[in-house]
Amino acid sequence: MTDASETQALAADDKVAVVIVAAGRGARAGQADGPKQYQRIGGRAVIARTLDVFLAHPRIGPIVVAIHADDSALFRSAAGADADRVVTVTGGASRQDSVRLGLLALRGPAPSRILVHDAVRPFVDAELIDRTIAAIGERQGALPALPVADTLKRESAAGMIGETVSRNGLHAAQTPQGFPFWPILAAHEKAHHLGKADFTDDAAIAEWAHIPVKIVPGSPDNVKLTWARDISMADQRLSGERLHFPDSRTGNGYDVHAFEPGDHVVLCGVSIPHDKKLSGHSDADVGLHALTDALLATCGAGDIGTHFPPSDPQWKGVASRIFVEHAARLVRARGGRIANADITLICEAPRVGPHREAMTEILSAMLAVSRDRISIKATTNEKLGFVGREEGIAAIATASVVFPGDVPE
């Protein structure tokens, strides 16, 4: 590693990489349903809820998850479709070594900034991530933390109170902890080669390596699920919110694409032979574009152009399922459950009926909902307007989502 690499400029719009540590066995939380990161809270695995937040954040780039060598199937089952959106590495014997291995997986091309987060902190939020990212400098890390509120006692060898410890200036550390990439990797590598394996978090390694770390306000909600009681309380919190105070929302989406010369169209994820194709920057899947807008509408997250501007060349020709899956992650990151998706395709041709089952199957996988919660219909425009003249295809989509609500005033 060169000095130039270590001190590269940290542009404000750089994507920030993430290492999520999920290789622990979690013995203190019990093993009935596997390690604690795979236990279910509010009907979903802890690690799936953690991934939702980072995958939905617009500043986050590549994500590496360090898992135990025995947990590949557990992770894929827990993460579902999101398993293909991250890189997994086999973690080490300690948290410290798992982080080091995750960092090594990001070396080429290396990010300028990195966040390290515990998989068992599923209540991290976007605002906390933003605060941490903003405090990372070229040679400075960032640590979210809360001032210690409890009175602290040091125990004597006899099991009695030895002394009362002043809590002035003491903070309880949280994750994600943020660092410039090359300096923190170098610190981890140096500690590894020297056989120093007793660091309990990355800020401690940074301190040892003389990397200054700025404290930013943590969040009282950003708890670490350590004990079986923590898992139970998190489950009650999520399940109770969902059961007793539902917040049902409906979003609508509309899209239209013109025909151009071609030999097929893509509708709701299915390629259908046709004597024309739809014009668009991506694969021009008008049904999925409308559905993306409908999902985004349920949580006030703008529209498809906000997240995937057509002026950005990286979206040229891509499959539109990327847009739908992104919108679904945003919904889930806000605690939403997709209850229903309804799409109406308006066209004179091609015929949609023979492909409805395949479309339903694809959407079921995209949204992680059962097939009976998906409706795909088609109608003509009775030869009227641009659709009637077979100049293009339009689509209308409606999505119903249930969010955790607040207690009515």
Side-chain angles (χ1 to χ4, degrees), residues 42 50 65 95 97 111 133 157 250 255 265 382 400:
T50 301
V65 184
R95 181 192 187 279
D97 206 36
I133 291 174
T250 300
D255 195 38
V265 295
E382 300 294 337
S400 298

Side-chain angles (χ1 to χ4, degrees), residues 26-30 36 39 224-233:
R28 287 174 290 182
K36 58 189 176 181
Q39 295 187 31
K224 185 177 182 180
L225 306 184
T226 302
W227 306 95
R229 174 179 169 81
D230 299 332
I231 301 289
S232 177
M233 291 179 67

Side-chain angles (χ1 to χ4, degrees), residues 22-318:
R25 297 292 80 196
R28 287 174 290 182
Q31 294 289 311
D33 299 310
K36 58 189 176 181
Q37 59 269 34
Y38 299 111
Q39 295 187 31
R40 300 177 79 80
I41 55 173
R44 300 184 65 230
V46 170
I47 193 170
R49 291 186 175 276
T50 301
L51 282 174
D52 280 347
V53 181
F54 287 95
L55 286 168
H57 197 288
R59 298 289 299 281
I60 298 303
I63 297 175
V64 173
V65 184
I67 65 174
H68 192 274
D70 297 335
D71 290 351
S72 294
L74 264 178
F75 175 75
R76 181 159 288 278
S77 175
D82 287 341
D84 295 325
R85 307 286 293 172
V86 302
V87 174
T88 58
V89 297
T90 300
S94 66
R95 181 192 187 279
Q96 179 181 330
D97 206 36
S98 292
V99 174
R100 183 182 67 87
L101 293 169
L103 292 172
L104 289 173
L106 286 164
R107 285 179 300 177
S112 58
R113 287 170 288 185
I114 182 76
L115 296 177
V116 180
H117 187 68
D118 297 322
V120 289
R121 289 187 185 268
F123 298 114
V124 62
D125 57 49
E127 290 75 17
L128 177 57
I129 293 172
D130 286 335
R131 289 197 296 274
T132 306
I133 291 174
I136 303 172
E138 291 186 10
R139 293 288 302 177
Q140 173 182 288
L143 168 72
L146 293 174
V148 172
D150 295 329
T151 298
L152 302 176
K153 305 291 184 179
R154 178 172 285 115
E155 183 183 5
S156 71
M160 307 295 285
I161 293 176
E163 65 174 315
T164 299
V165 180
S166 172
R167 65 192 181 198
N168 291 336
L170 294 183
H171 288 74
Q174 298 184 338
T175 67
Q177 298 177 10
F179 306 92
F181 179 78
W182 288 115
I184 195 63
L185 174 58
H188 266 279
E189 288 284 76
K190 181 178 179 181
H192 175 70
H193 291 308
L194 292 177
K196 295 186 65 64
D198 56 347
F199 295 106
T200 55
D201 72 354
D202 302 283
I205 293 181
E207 178 186 356
W208 170 74
H210 305 293
I211 300 170
V213 179
K214 181 178 178 60
I215 292 177
V216 300
S219 167
D221 291 331
N222 185 29
V223 294
K224 185 177 182 180
L225 306 184
T226 302
W227 306 95
R229 174 179 169 81
D230 299 332
I231 301 289
S232 177
M233 291 179 67
D235 182 55
Q236 290 175 21
R237 167 182 168 181
L238 292 168
S239 299
E241 285 178 345
R242 188 173 67 245
L243 178 62
H244 299 298
F245 309 114
D247 175 9
S248 300
R249 306 181 192 179
T250 300
N252 293 312
Y254 174 81
D255 195 38
V256 59
H257 283 276
F259 280 127
E260 66 180 16
D263 58 8
H264 73 283
V265 295
V266 179
L267 295 174
C268 294
V270 175
S271 179
I272 303 173
H274 192 50
D275 58 1
K276 304 168 187 172
K277 73 171 185 174
L278 291 172
S279 174
H281 190 60
S282 62
D283 63 4
D285 190 328
V286 65
L288 296 191
H289 291 186
L291 179 59
T292 299
D293 276 347
L295 289 167
L296 294 172
T298 65
C299 54
D303 60 14
I304 191 170
T306 305
H307 300 266
F308 305 97
S311 57
D312 190 335
Q314 70 174 307
W315 309 122
K316 184 174 178 61
V318 301

